[in-house]
Amino acid sequence: MNSFNATDAGRVTSNGETRSPSARRPEMITWQGIHEPRLEQVRLLLSSDQRLRATGRLVAAGPDEQFNASFEVSVGESGQVNRLLLRTATVLEERQCSLSRTEDGAWLVDHGQGSTRETFNDALDVDVQFSVLFNAIPIRRLGLHREQGEHALPVVRVSLPDLSVKAVTQTYKTVSVGDDVSVVRFKSGGFEQNIKVDANGLVVEYPLISKRI
């Protein structure tokens, strides 16, 4: 009979949650829209490597966008998204979508009517419209908040609230590296902006879009 090894299996916290030795305590982070009445809040569990687990909610209450969205995302130790579950609700309808990355690098996309298999140009990252949490995933994976770098990446982009999915190309480039705050330039199509991130690669301020509160 094999004996239980707490070091190998991870530590069970007081609330029953199993946490590996490299995992940090969960935290709540909230971002507020700068020019639009929008809030994003996530419960986040980071590891000392690129792993990340988060559950979050986004509420948009502007005149042109009124919906809420919830998501669960899991990022593996290599920094790539393993699974994303999204749900949205508007006054007219509710939708859901799941994306799972297979061992051979393909994606399974399911809008509730059975999954379809897509390659999305071998993308490792997912970007959810209006959510600034997802900018942290490629930044952390590539270490752009710690050292200079520039990468043009294939990304799976999910639009809100309709949950349409497509492959896009996004570019991330380190502008400056600091002890507490670094700056990374984000570019997608004709849009580009300098994003301030903290020592964990999480957005502090996304000018014109959102800021942490």
Side-chain angles (χ1 to χ4, degrees), residues 5-13 17-26 45-49 51-53 77:
N5 187 313
T7 301
D8 294 336
R11 184 162 60 87
V12 178
T13 62
E17 185 176 75
T18 300
R19 186 152 54 94
S20 69
S22 62
R24 299 169 181 167
R25 292 177 60 87
L45 181 62
L46 296 176
S47 297
S48 56
D49 52 23
R51 283 177 294 175
L52 175 155
R53 286 172 50 200
E77 61 182 343

Side-chain angles (χ1 to χ4, degrees), residues 57 67-70 86-97 111-112 161-163:
R57 179 171 294 275
F67 66 88
N68 66 68
S70 62
L86 276 161
R87 296 184 178 91
T88 60
T90 66
V91 68
L92 296 177
E93 62 182 352
E94 296 180 346
R95 298 183 180 223
Q96 67 177 27
C97 175
H111 284 91
D162 67 307
L163 298 182

Side-chain angles (χ1 to χ4, degrees), residues 14 37 42 46 49 54 73 82 87 98 107 111 168 193 200 209 212:
S14 60
V42 300
L46 296 176
D49 52 23
V73 62
N82 291 330
R87 296 184 178 91
S98 68
W107 291 86
H111 284 91
V168 299
Q193 188 60 265
N200 292 316
I209 304 296
R212 193 185 303 184

Side-chain angles (χ1 to χ4, degrees), residues 33-138:
I34 294 176
H35 293 298
E36 296 291 340
R38 187 187 304 131
L39 278 177
E40 177 182 0
Q41 185 175 73
V42 300
R43 180 183 187 272
L44 186 66
L45 181 62
L46 296 176
S47 297
S48 56
D49 52 23
Q50 291 92 351
R51 283 177 294 175
L52 175 155
R53 286 172 50 200
T55 58
R57 179 171 294 275
L58 192 148
V59 177
D64 299 321
E65 53 178 57
Q66 296 189 21
F67 66 88
N68 66 68
S70 62
F71 60 82
E72 300 174 16
V73 62
S74 174
V75 177
E77 61 182 343
S78 61
Q80 63 191 33
V81 175
N82 291 330
R83 189 169 189 272
L84 170 65
L85 175 64
L86 276 161
R87 296 184 178 91
T88 60
T90 66
V91 68
L92 296 177
E93 62 182 352
E94 296 180 346
R95 298 183 180 223
Q96 67 177 27
C97 175
S98 68
L99 293 93
S100 301
R101 195 169 185 276
T102 65
E103 291 184 358
D104 63 355
W107 291 86
L108 299 179
V109 183
D110 190 346
H111 284 91
Q113 300 174 333
S115 61
T116 59
R117 183 181 172 91
E118 304 285 350
T119 61
F120 293 127
N121 299 327
D122 299 323
L124 302 178
D125 305 297
V126 176
D127 182 28
V128 176
Q129 186 179 15
F130 305 122
S131 172
V132 298
L133 170 70
F134 289 84
N135 293 105
I137 296 174

Side-chain angles (χ1 to χ4, degrees), residues 121-196:
N121 299 327
D122 299 323
L124 302 178
D125 305 297
V126 176
D127 182 28
V128 176
Q129 186 179 15
F130 305 122
S131 172
V132 298
L133 170 70
F134 289 84
N135 293 105
I137 296 174
I139 290 173
R140 283 170 54 82
R141 178 169 58 82
L142 299 168
L144 297 175
H145 57 308
R146 296 186 178 132
E147 58 185 19
Q148 295 290 330
E150 180 176 4
H151 300 267
L153 307 170
V155 175
V156 184
R157 187 174 191 273
V158 185
S159 297
L160 296 183
D162 67 307
L163 298 182
S164 61
V165 181
K166 65 178 181 179
V168 299
T169 298
Q170 297 179 346
T171 300
Y172 287 83
K173 178 182 179 181
T174 307
V175 175
S176 64
V177 176
D179 293 334
D180 298 319
V181 176
S182 300
V183 178
V184 178
R185 177 169 287 270
F186 169 80
K187 183 177 181 179
S188 181
F191 174 84
E192 59 183 290
Q193 188 60 265
N194 285 347
I195 304 173
K196 295 180 181 178

